[in-house]
């Protein structure tokens, strides 16, 4: 082994980490004839959904078109719920110090 080469065990460890990091990644492949093209080509063609298991792409399903494939590949983020009105803290009396007081408030001072 030369001084500038890393040990085989170190290379194997880094390779294993890289493969495990991408495990579970999914992709959609159009079911069309000819060379593979971008996902936007033939949006009405069915797609095969595949998942990376660390060493190979495994088919996990088939969908009818690009729209269905995008729904699987890019799921919508969960909707953040807003607190109910009664959950909000009371703001107290007044209109805020940066606002001009009402004429009635001016008289009470």
């Amino acid at each position: 082994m030369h001084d500038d080469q890393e040990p085989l065990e170190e290379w194997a460890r880094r390779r294993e980490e890289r493969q495990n990091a991408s495990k579970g990644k999914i992709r959609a492949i159009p079911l069309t004839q000819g060379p593979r093209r971008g996902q936007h080509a033939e949006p009405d063609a069915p797609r095969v959904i595949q998942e990376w298991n660390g060493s190979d792409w495994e088919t996990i399903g088939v969908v009818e078109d690009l729209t269905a494939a995008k729904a699987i590949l890019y799921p919508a983020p969960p909707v953040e719920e807003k607190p109910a009105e009664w959950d909000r803290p009371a703001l107290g009396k007044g209109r805020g110090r940066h606002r001009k007081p009402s004429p009635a408030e001016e008289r009470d001072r």
Side-chain angles (χ1 to χ4, degrees), residues 11 23 34 41 47 56 62 64 81 91-93 95-96 103 107:
W11 173 85
K23 212 177 229 184
R47 302 308 204 248
D56 290 317
V62 178
E64 63 274 0
E81 294 182 28
L91 298 178
K93 185 178 175 184
R95 297 173 50 183
R107 281 186 304 220

Side-chain angles (χ1 to χ4, degrees), residues 1-101:
M1 181 169 75
H2 296 291
D3 290 336
D4 61 340
Q5 292 182 337
E6 68 180 317
L8 182 58
E9 295 81 24
E10 183 68 22
W11 173 85
R13 184 191 58 76
R14 284 189 308 106
R15 181 175 183 268
E16 184 70 25
E17 286 175 0
R18 225 178 15 254
Q19 286 181 336
N20 288 336
S22 61
K23 212 177 229 184
K25 185 176 179 182
I26 57 175
R27 70 179 183 181
I29 305 295
L31 290 175
T32 56
Q33 295 272 337
R36 194 183 302 171
R37 299 185 308 229
Q39 73 171 5
H40 64 281
E42 298 186 46
D44 296 331
R47 302 308 204 248
V48 172
I49 306 297
Q50 296 179 328
E51 181 177 27
W52 182 251
N53 68 9
S55 60
D56 290 317
W57 288 100
E58 293 179 346
T59 299
I60 59 172
V62 178
V63 294
E64 63 274 0
D65 58 12
L66 178 59
T67 304
K70 283 185 175 182
I72 293 172
L73 294 175
Y74 313 111
V79 177
E80 192 173 311
E81 294 182 28
K82 293 182 180 178
E85 285 295 322
W86 54 270
D87 286 344
R88 293 185 184 177
L91 298 178
K93 185 178 175 184
R95 297 173 50 183
R97 99 173 111 160
H98 67 283
R99 296 195 178 158
K100 186 175 159 183

